[in-house]
């Protein structure tokens, strides 16, 4: 699968900028030193493969990719991260934040059944952009690629959605995501903000936030198809 056309144009333009060239060089240098970087190269931009800019209905903003590994059904050790925020590869143990997201869904969305897997590509295929603010991370080292340049890149992504999308829902969990979304046009888009779903903060207001049903209500009120949050 390739990046959709508008995203392809935007990403290619950013890749020519000096900050991005330096970002890529720094990551390659670390890899040359034997440092393992997640997700795999082919998955770094996976969030942009499912829905083009104009068709994004919901943006769920995370921080950086999962930095751990797990075993797939073939017994192979693979990265948890695969380019979609909060999502993990099939048959990988579901991380605590995603466990809490599923708990909230089970009380917020009628008929939601907690799945055995943590893959969220079914949402992405419906127009949910699962975006991390930093797109790479080193194994077992959270936030290790913060401030390398990814934040500038994802600022551009958010600004393009804000400017060119006709109206979508931004779901911002935690102070970091909320800071990234401070320039979103609230007249044009719906912004839902609350605590992060991590075990450290979920009980401070994430549980009971009803962001999933609120997102669908806003979409329906603006003549857009709601998201089917149920997962296979």
């Amino acid at each position: 699968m390739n990046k959709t056309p508008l995203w392809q144009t935007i990403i290619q333009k950013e890749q020519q900028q000096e900050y991005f060239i330096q970002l890529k060089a720094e990551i390659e240098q670390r890899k040359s030193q034997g440092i393992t970087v997640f997700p795999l190269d082919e998955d770094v931009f996976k969030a942009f493969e499912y829905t083009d800019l104009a068709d994004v209905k919901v943006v769920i903003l995370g921080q950086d990719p999962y930095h751990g590994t797990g075993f797939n059904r073939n017994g192979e050790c693979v990265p948890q991260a695969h380019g979609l925020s909060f999502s993990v590869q099939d048959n990988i143990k579901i991380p605590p934040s995603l466990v809490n997201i599923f708990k909230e869904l089970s009380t917020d969305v009628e008929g939601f059944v907690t799945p055995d897997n943590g893959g969220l590509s079914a949402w992405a295929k419906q127009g949910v952009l699962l975006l991390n603010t930093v797109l790479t991370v080193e194994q077992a080292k959270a936030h290790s690629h913060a401030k390398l340049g990814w934040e500038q890149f994802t600022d551009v992504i958010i600004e393009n959605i804000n400017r060119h999308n006709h109206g979508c829902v931004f779901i911002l969990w935690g102070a970091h995501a909320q800071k990234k979304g401070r320039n979103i046009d609230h007249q044009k888009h719906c912004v839902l903000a609350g605590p992060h779903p991590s075990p450290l903060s979920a009980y401070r207001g994430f549980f009971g936030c009803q962001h999933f049903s609120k997102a669908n209500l806003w979409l329906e009120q603006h003549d857009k198809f709601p998201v089917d949050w149920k997962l296979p």
Side-chain angles (χ1 to χ4, degrees):
M1 188 184 297
N2 295 317
K3 294 181 286 293
T4 45
L6 282 174
W7 287 136
Q8 179 93 11
T9 300
I10 292 166
I11 292 170
Q12 286 180 343
K13 180 180 178 181
E14 291 308 299
Q15 288 174 327
Q16 297 170 10
Q17 305 302 313
E18 183 61 30
Y19 84 90
F20 199 100
I21 294 170
Q22 293 178 2
L23 163 65
K24 185 176 180 181
E26 177 62 27
I27 294 173
E28 291 304 317
Q29 181 180 6
R30 296 187 187 192
K31 287 182 179 179
S32 72
Q33 297 169 349
I35 295 172
T36 300
V37 174
F38 295 149
L40 301 176
D41 288 346
E42 60 265 29
D43 290 335
V44 171
F45 296 104
K46 185 168 287 293
F48 305 100
E49 295 180 357
Y50 294 94
T51 304
D52 218 346
L53 189 157
D55 299 318
V56 171
K57 294 180 183 177
V58 178
V59 179
I60 297 181
L61 194 59
Q63 294 189 30
D64 59 349
Y66 295 119
H67 57 268
T69 60
F71 292 92
N72 64 18
R73 68 179 65 191
N74 298 320
E76 302 165 323
C77 185
V78 298
Q80 291 174 304
H82 65 130
L84 304 177
S85 65
F86 295 104
S87 180
V88 291
Q89 298 199 55
D90 288 346
N91 298 293
I92 302 300
K93 183 179 179 181
I94 300 174
S97 290
L98 187 53
V99 168
N100 286 338
I101 289 172
F102 289 161
K103 285 181 180 178
E104 174 61 20
L105 276 160
S106 68
T107 63
D108 185 31
V109 174
E110 184 177 356
F112 181 85
V113 177
T114 300
D116 295 329
N117 288 307
L120 305 180
S121 60
W123 295 353
K125 292 173 183 177
Q126 298 178 68
V128 180
L129 183 68
L130 296 161
L131 180 67
N132 282 312
T133 58
V134 174
L135 301 192
T136 56
V137 70
E138 292 169 19
Q139 184 175 7
K141 195 174 180 183
H143 312 303
S144 47
H145 286 186
K147 303 189 186 306
L148 293 186
W150 281 124
E151 291 90 347
Q152 183 171 342
F153 172 80
T154 50
D155 278 345
V156 171
I157 297 299
I158 293 169
E159 172 55 28
N160 272 279
I161 298 170
N162 183 54
R163 184 180 302 175
H164 300 297
N165 185 282
H166 297 301
C168 69
V169 180
F170 285 86
I171 296 179
L172 310 177
W173 292 324
H176 185 80
Q178 292 166 28
K179 183 178 179 181
K180 287 284 286 188
R182 60 179 177 259
N183 294 322
I184 295 169
D185 182 351
H186 288 233
Q187 299 300 314
K188 182 179 180 183
H189 305 286
C190 174
V191 179
L192 300 174
H196 194 275
S198 76
L200 296 175
S201 56
Y203 288 94
R204 299 174 186 167
F206 172 76
F207 290 133
C209 67
Q210 299 183 320
H211 283 173
F212 303 98
S213 60
K214 288 177 180 177
N216 275 353
L217 178 62
W218 188 91
L219 291 171
E220 291 173 329
Q221 289 173 341
H222 290 77
D223 299 320
K224 300 174 186 289
F225 287 108
V227 176
D228 182 359
W229 296 110
K230 301 182 187 68
L231 292 164

